[in-house]
Amino acid sequence: MLNRIILIGRLTQDPELRYTPSGTPVAHFTLAVDRPRLNQMGERETDFINIVVWQKLGELCAQYLRKGRLAAVEGRLQIRSYENREGQRVRVAEVVADNVRFLDRAGDREGGPSAPPASGSGWPEEARTRSTGMDDPFEGDATRIDISEDDLPF
Amino acid sequence: MLNRIILIGRLTQDPELRYTPSGTPVAHFTLAVDRPRLNQMGERETDFINIVVWQKLGELCAQYLRKGRLAAVEGRLQIRSYENREGQRVRVAEVVADNVRFLDRAGDREGGPSAPPASGSGWPEEARTRSTGMDDPFEGDATRIDISEDDLPF
Amino acid sequence: MLNRIILIGRLTQDPELRYTPSGTPVAHFTLAVDRPRLNQMGERETDFINIVVWQKLGELCAQYLRKGRLAAVEGRLQIRSYENREGQRVRVAEVVADNVRFLDRAGDREGGPSAPPASGSGWPEEARTRSTGMDDPFEGDATRIDISEDDLPF
Amino acid sequence: MLNRIILIGRLTQDPELRYTPSGTPVAHFTLAVDRPRLNQMGERETDFINIVVWQKLGELCAQYLRKGRLAAVEGRLQIRSYENREGQRVRVAEVVADNVRFLDRAGDREGGPSAPPASGSGWPEEARTRSTGMDDPFEGDATRIDISEDDLPF
DNA sequence: TTTT
DNA sequence: TTTT
């Protein structure tokens, strides 16, 4: 009846952008969120939380977020349940985001296969307000992989 | 760095109260939280979210919450990771609650082994404000099962 | 850049439903939200928080919520600033809700000018899922008062 | 019964640190939080939200936060009501924070009377985890102004 | 101005 | 009274 979660953390990898057979974009990434206090051994613990972002906001995440970057994510916690190849019931927790904020410009740790395009310099503070002047900003950047309709949120 | 979730839903079963070897109480229950919209087949979907409540608040949940009751839960999302007997890595999502509100008096669906004690009539609107006049409210009510120290949150 | 608030409390009065000159419905009510702990004098304190709900969700609030009822409100905190007749700058805090849950059926304290229509018995658990079969559910129930365009949220 | 707000925004001024007569530290600052969408005139609007932070967390805010810096604030919305010198009832909204995250290192726009102490170089990512090795970090830095006991949150 |  |  009410389900709201807000996280701030850093991406463990670059976002992965896919498309449903009907062409709906969806981005996946994992956020590393440090726990507020140390555990019994005095170690810092971290929760690695899977994030799913649909539609244009997902494309913006794929375009602007990179491994190591700090982001705020707002959405709802969803428990997806399916059977694996061994017939076991597996439950997957993920946050379906409807709001994502890009919180730093990161240390420009670029390089490697998933670095931002050299021509791309902009790093908008707010993904959502950016809604103009994009023809096909992801061409050549995101990998196009089809995913199952079962992952559709609507 | 920031991790906050707020849920409203109904308990799928009575809470289960256990104690760590050192005597710390911890309650477990599952909250059924309906999704805001119907899926493609026009069905209502529900997320079943595991809740963990430590200390006195956990005891209050065990005392006052029952299957079917409506509750608001506030806390943080934690992903616990462990290896099962087959050596597979299993990830369990659960919400560690630090605030729980009891939101209805429920339809007095009493009866069965885990019904509230006959002498207990009160159903406090707010668990947290209730902090007086309890000697050992759970004696004979809750099952005492030891859990691993690994589950300790501190 | 991110602004999210979630409240649970009781209405101090029935909601007031108005319309902008262009016909947009907007409901106003105040939520009494008890503070989590007593003050220095051992008294319970309460925050009275103004809620604004636009569009169809506002109409549903006007239809189903009444003085004394328990509700969960999710939205964003807005500080409206204007000059009063004495030329003083006044700042008004209000929560613009985009999600409202009706959490009890209340003691059917009906009667008086703003009681629900006698023919209306339903009390939907979730306002948002109710989106069918309403032609003009508030006719004769809500007072039609025009408000300034300045109050428009878009 | 439940009152939770999470904000991300920038400080409009340096925090102001005061002490109650009994020595409790309390920091005040204002967060500028942009609204998610433009208004009818196509202008970006901003809410200026007053934040109050008590105790050690308040001291950390006074030490590390500066005008223009980005912060995440978690707490509860409180409506304080008092009579002004003209005998009018004034209502003040403020967020009492129990968690503050410092989200950027800002462009080291130092200089002026409220710049960080020259000897202080550290900018901890998380205020809360910093709890060691501070004897009196604010001496000579913060202004010591007594405030009324009425502002005490406990 | 205030709710249970 | 306001931040980038």
Side-chain angles (χ1 to χ4, degrees):
Chain A
M1 294 193 23
L2 188 147
N3 182 338
R4 200 79 203 158
I5 183 167
I6 297 179
L7 303 167
I8 297 181
R10 295 190 181 276
L11 279 81
T12 62
Q13 298 294 337
D14 293 353
E16 211 184 332
L17 185 64
R18 302 179 187 177
Y19 294 85
T20 65
S22 57
T24 305
V26 55
H28 288 259
F29 56 88
T30 295
L31 217 55
V33 183
D34 289 338
R35 296 208 183 151
R37 61 196 89 255
L38 309 178
N39 70 6
Q40 292 152 302
M41 287 77 192
E43 310 155 331
R44 165 162 306 294
E45 285 184 289
T46 302
D47 292 296
F48 297 96
I49 300 174
N50 295 325
I51 313 292
V52 182
V53 198
W54 290 88
Q55 307 282 13
K56 176 166 288 300
L57 183 59
E59 292 179 314
L60 290 167
C61 288
Q63 185 176 27
Y64 291 113
L65 286 175
R66 285 294 172 273
K67 173 180 177 173
R69 292 216 155 146
L70 192 69
V73 166
E74 189 183 347
R76 101 191 124 75
L77 173 60
Q78 184 170 275
I79 311 285
R80 205 149 39 84
S81 178
Y82 68 93
E83 296 213 2
N84 66 7
R85 37 269 169 265
E86 287 97 45
Q88 295 168 308
R89 190 114 230 103
V90 181
R91 284 155 50 86
V92 175
E94 55 198 8
V95 169
V96 182
D98 51 48
N99 190 7
V100 178
R101 303 278 111 149
F102 308 152
L103 292 174
D104 63 7
R105 316 183 74 107
D108 289 359
R109 270 173 297 262
E110 78 283 78
S114 55
S119 59
S121 61
W123 176 253
E125 187 172 80
E126 307 199 23
R128 270 192 163 170
T129 64
R130 209 198 120 96
S131 55
T132 51
M134 295 193 307
D135 287 307
D136 188 356
F138 307 116
E139 223 221 333
D141 184 24
T143 321
R144 231 178 200 276
I145 305 171
D146 280 352
I147 64 170
S148 158
E149 288 285 356
D150 292 348
D151 293 329
L152 272 169
F154 37 84
Chain B
M1 297 192 25
L2 188 148
N3 183 337
R4 200 81 202 156
I5 182 167
I6 298 178
L7 303 167
I8 298 181
R10 293 189 183 275
L11 279 81
T12 63
Q13 297 295 335
D14 293 354
E16 209 182 334
L17 186 64
R18 301 178 187 178
Y19 295 85
T20 67
S22 56
T24 304
V26 54
H28 288 260
F29 57 89
T30 296
L31 216 56
V33 183
D34 289 338
R35 298 208 182 149
R37 64 195 87 254
L38 308 179
N39 70 5
Q40 293 152 300
M41 285 77 191
E43 308 155 332
R44 166 161 306 293
E45 285 184 289
T46 301
D47 292 297
F48 297 96
I49 300 174
N50 294 326
I51 313 292
V52 181
V53 197
W54 291 87
Q55 307 283 12
K56 178 167 286 300
L57 184 59
E59 293 180 315
L60 290 167
C61 289
Q63 186 177 26
Y64 291 112
L65 286 175
R66 286 294 172 273
K67 174 180 178 174
R69 292 217 156 146
L70 191 69
V73 166
E74 189 182 346
R76 96 189 128 76
L77 173 60
Q78 186 171 275
I79 311 285
R80 205 151 38 84
S81 178
Y82 67 94
E83 296 213 1
N84 65 9
R85 36 271 168 265
E86 286 98 47
Q88 297 168 307
R89 190 116 229 99
V90 180
R91 287 155 48 85
V92 175
E94 55 198 8
V95 170
V96 182
D98 51 47
N99 190 8
V100 178
R101 302 278 108 149
F102 308 152
L103 292 175
D104 63 6
R105 318 184 73 108
D108 288 0
R109 271 173 295 261
E110 78 283 80
S114 54
S119 60
S121 60
W123 174 253
E125 186 172 83
E126 309 198 23
R128 271 190 162 170
T129 64
R130 209 199 120 97
S131 54
T132 51
M134 294 193 306
D135 287 307
D136 188 354
F138 306 117
E139 221 222 333
D141 184 23
T143 322
R144 230 177 201 278
I145 305 172
D146 280 353
I147 65 170
S148 160
E149 287 285 357
D150 293 347
D151 294 329
L152 269 170
F154 39 85
Chain C
M1 293 192 26
L2 188 148
N3 183 337
R4 200 81 201 155
I5 183 168
I6 298 179
L7 303 167
I8 298 181
R10 292 188 184 277
L11 279 81
T12 63
Q13 299 294 337
D14 293 352
E16 210 182 331
L17 185 64
R18 301 181 188 177
Y19 294 85
T20 66
S22 56
T24 304
V26 54
H28 289 259
F29 57 89
T30 297
L31 216 56
V33 183
D34 289 338
R35 297 209 183 148
R37 61 196 88 256
L38 308 178
N39 69 5
Q40 292 152 301
M41 285 78 191
E43 309 155 332
R44 164 162 307 293
E45 285 184 289
T46 301
D47 292 296
F48 297 96
I49 300 175
N50 295 325
I51 312 292
V52 181
V53 198
W54 291 88
Q55 305 284 11
K56 177 167 288 298
L57 183 59
E59 292 180 315
L60 290 167
C61 289
Q63 185 176 27
Y64 291 112
L65 286 176
R66 285 293 172 272
K67 175 180 177 173
R69 293 214 154 147
L70 191 69
V73 165
E74 189 183 346
R76 97 189 126 76
L77 174 60
Q78 185 170 276
I79 311 285
R80 204 149 39 84
S81 178
Y82 68 93
E83 296 213 1
N84 66 8
R85 37 268 169 267
E86 285 98 46
Q88 296 168 307
R89 189 117 229 98
V90 180
R91 285 157 48 85
V92 174
E94 54 198 9
V95 169
V96 182
D98 51 49
N99 190 6
V100 178
R101 303 278 110 148
F102 309 151
L103 293 174
D104 63 7
R105 316 184 73 107
D108 288 0
R109 273 172 295 264
E110 77 283 78
S114 55
S119 59
S121 61
W123 174 252
E125 187 172 81
E126 308 199 25
R128 269 193 163 166
T129 62
R130 210 199 119 96
S131 54
T132 51
M134 295 193 308
D135 286 308
D136 189 354
F138 306 117
E139 223 221 332
D141 185 21
T143 321
R144 232 179 200 275
I145 304 172
D146 281 353
I147 65 170
S148 160
E149 288 284 357
D150 293 348
D151 293 329
L152 271 169
F154 39 84
Chain D
M1 294 194 25
L2 188 148
N3 182 338
R4 200 81 201 156
I5 182 167
I6 297 178
L7 302 168
I8 297 181
R10 293 188 183 277
L11 277 82
T12 63
Q13 299 294 338
D14 293 353
E16 210 182 333
L17 185 64
R18 301 180 187 178
Y19 294 85
T20 66
S22 57
T24 304
V26 55
H28 289 260
F29 58 87
T30 296
L31 217 56
V33 182
D34 289 338
R35 297 207 183 151
R37 60 196 89 257
L38 309 179
N39 70 6
Q40 293 151 302
M41 284 78 192
E43 308 155 333
R44 167 162 304 294
E45 285 184 289
T46 302
D47 291 296
F48 297 96
I49 300 175
N50 295 324
I51 313 292
V52 182
V53 197
W54 291 88
Q55 306 284 12
K56 177 166 287 301
L57 184 60
E59 292 180 315
L60 290 166
C61 288
Q63 185 178 26
Y64 291 113
L65 286 177
R66 286 292 173 272
K67 173 179 177 174
R69 293 217 155 145
L70 191 69
V73 166
E74 189 182 346
R76 96 189 128 76
L77 173 61
Q78 185 170 275
I79 310 285
R80 206 150 38 83
S81 178
Y82 68 93
E83 297 214 0
N84 66 7
R85 37 267 169 269
E86 287 99 43
Q88 296 168 308
R89 191 116 227 100
V90 180
R91 284 155 50 85
V92 174
E94 55 199 7
V95 169
V96 182
D98 51 49
N99 190 7
V100 178
R101 303 278 110 149
F102 309 153
L103 292 175
D104 62 8
R105 317 183 74 107
D108 289 358
R109 272 172 296 262
E110 77 284 78
S114 54
S119 60
S121 61
W123 174 253
E125 186 173 80
E126 308 199 23
R128 271 194 164 164
T129 64
R130 209 200 120 93
S131 53
T132 51
M134 294 194 307
D135 287 307
D136 189 353
F138 307 116
E139 222 221 333
D141 184 24
T143 320
R144 232 179 200 274
I145 305 172
D146 280 353
I147 64 170
S148 159
E149 288 284 358
D150 293 347
D151 294 328
L152 272 169
F154 38 82

